[in-house]
Amino acid sequence: NAGVTQTPKFQVLKTGQSMTLQCAQDMNHNSMYWYRQDPGMGLRLIYYSASEGTTDKGEVPNGYNVSRLNKREFSLRLESAAPSQTSVYFCASSEFPRGGYEQYFGPGTRLTVT
Amino acid sequence: AQTVTQSQPEMSVQEAETVTLSCTYDTSESDYYLFWYKQPPSRQMILVIRQEAYKQQNATENRFSVNFQKAAKSFSLKISDSQLGDAAMYFCAYRSAPKGPELVFGKGTKLTVNP
């Protein structure tokens, strides 16, 4: 039982390049999330998927797109990377999108855009 | 919009002693959940403890306990018998019960445990 896995762990991009961050969970959770963490800040929600087939914007969605590929997988795409997107990205999942259900986090991806 | 404030950017404690981390939040809602997450140097976010706003009893998990003061909108974390492995960033987080699903995080408190 791996929990939430993310690939890659580290990535360096040049401004304007694109890439996709991959996330998968094996806990049969309905809901999945993408957060970013900047230095000296807590995590901020980028996008989430309450259930398979649905996605919604969070607090900071600009510059990102997401795909809920199936119940297990939720990817985050940067179409044209900018230095402001340098951050650590966390994927998370939970059984349901509301209430006190714990969100389980992946190990994070450190992305640097030069 | 809800906000979460952690007023202590850094704290330190001697091994085996007790430390309290502070958290206050601003909300007009009456139904919500509060969480403390631990982030060690490995970056992994780990849930430490959870509190439902409708419960008056303070949550406890082994050496970790909270002091939840709903009227004051305060949610502090007490770590007893501190261990070297407790050294980490600690984040307080809020989640609206009727709205969800996002967690609103504070900026974190870096805890150092001295041997």
Side-chain angles (χ1 to χ4, degrees):
Chain A
N1 189 341
V4 180
T5 56
Q6 293 181 234
T7 55
K9 286 188 166 49
F10 301 94
Q11 184 70 48
V12 178
L13 290 178
K14 293 188 187 323
T15 298
Q17 287 185 320
S18 63
M19 78 161 296
T20 300
L21 306 184
Q22 306 285 356
C23 174
Q25 52 92 8
D26 62 2
M27 295 174 283
N28 200 35
H29 283 168
N30 291 291
S31 306
M32 299 184 73
Y33 314 82
W34 278 105
Y35 289 88
R36 62 178 285 173
Q37 183 180 28
D38 299 310
M41 303 282 288
L43 281 66
R44 292 182 295 168
L45 185 67
I46 304 171
Y47 270 94
Y48 68 96
S49 171
S51 60
E52 189 178 354
T54 69
T55 60
D56 283 288
K57 295 177 181 179
E59 180 185 356
V60 288
N62 291 344
Y64 305 95
N65 286 302
V66 292
S67 295
R68 183 75 182 266
L69 304 170
N70 48 55
K71 193 171 185 180
R72 289 187 65 249
E73 298 172 290
F74 189 38
S75 63
L76 178 72
R77 182 159 178 86
L78 287 70
E79 291 292 352
S80 179
S84 61
Q85 295 178 304
T86 293
S87 190
V88 179
Y89 291 85
F90 288 93
C91 178
S93 71
S94 68
E95 192 170 352
F96 293 108
R98 304 193 188 283
Y101 294 98
E102 179 180 351
Q103 291 189 13
Y104 293 82
F105 287 83
T109 295
R110 182 176 293 278
L111 174 67
T112 302
V113 183
T114 61
Chain B
Q2 292 81 16
T3 57
V4 176
T5 302
Q6 294 179 249
S7 59
Q8 306 151 317
E10 297 189 26
M11 292 281 285
S12 64
V13 64
Q14 292 297 125
E15 199 175 0
E17 294 191 346
T18 296
V19 64
T20 298
L21 308 183
S22 300
C23 172
T24 58
Y25 56 94
D26 185 25
T27 184
S28 58
E29 298 174 333
S30 59
D31 193 10
Y32 50 86
Y33 297 85
L34 296 165
F35 305 83
W36 278 99
Y37 277 87
K38 171 185 177 182
Q39 186 179 41
S42 66
R43 284 203 315 246
Q44 185 74 46
M45 294 290 285
I46 303 163
L47 180 65
V48 174
I49 202 164
R50 166 179 40 212
Q51 176 78 43
E52 294 89 342
Y54 62 85
K55 287 189 177 179
Q56 292 188 342
Q57 186 174 6
N58 290 325
T60 299
E61 288 287 344
N62 300 314
R63 297 183 295 107
F64 298 87
S65 60
V66 299
N67 183 5
F68 173 48
Q69 301 288 329
K70 191 172 183 179
K73 297 179 184 175
S74 170
F75 182 60
S76 60
L77 175 69
K78 185 171 85 171
I79 306 174
S80 303
D81 185 25
S82 297
Q83 300 176 358
L84 295 177
D86 295 333
M89 286 290 291
Y90 286 82
F91 292 94
C92 179
Y94 170 101
R95 177 187 242 181
S96 166
K99 297 175 186 172
E102 67 187 276
L103 291 168
V104 178
F105 286 85
K107 293 186 177 182
T109 296
K110 182 179 181 181
L111 179 66
T112 301
V113 180
N114 299 309

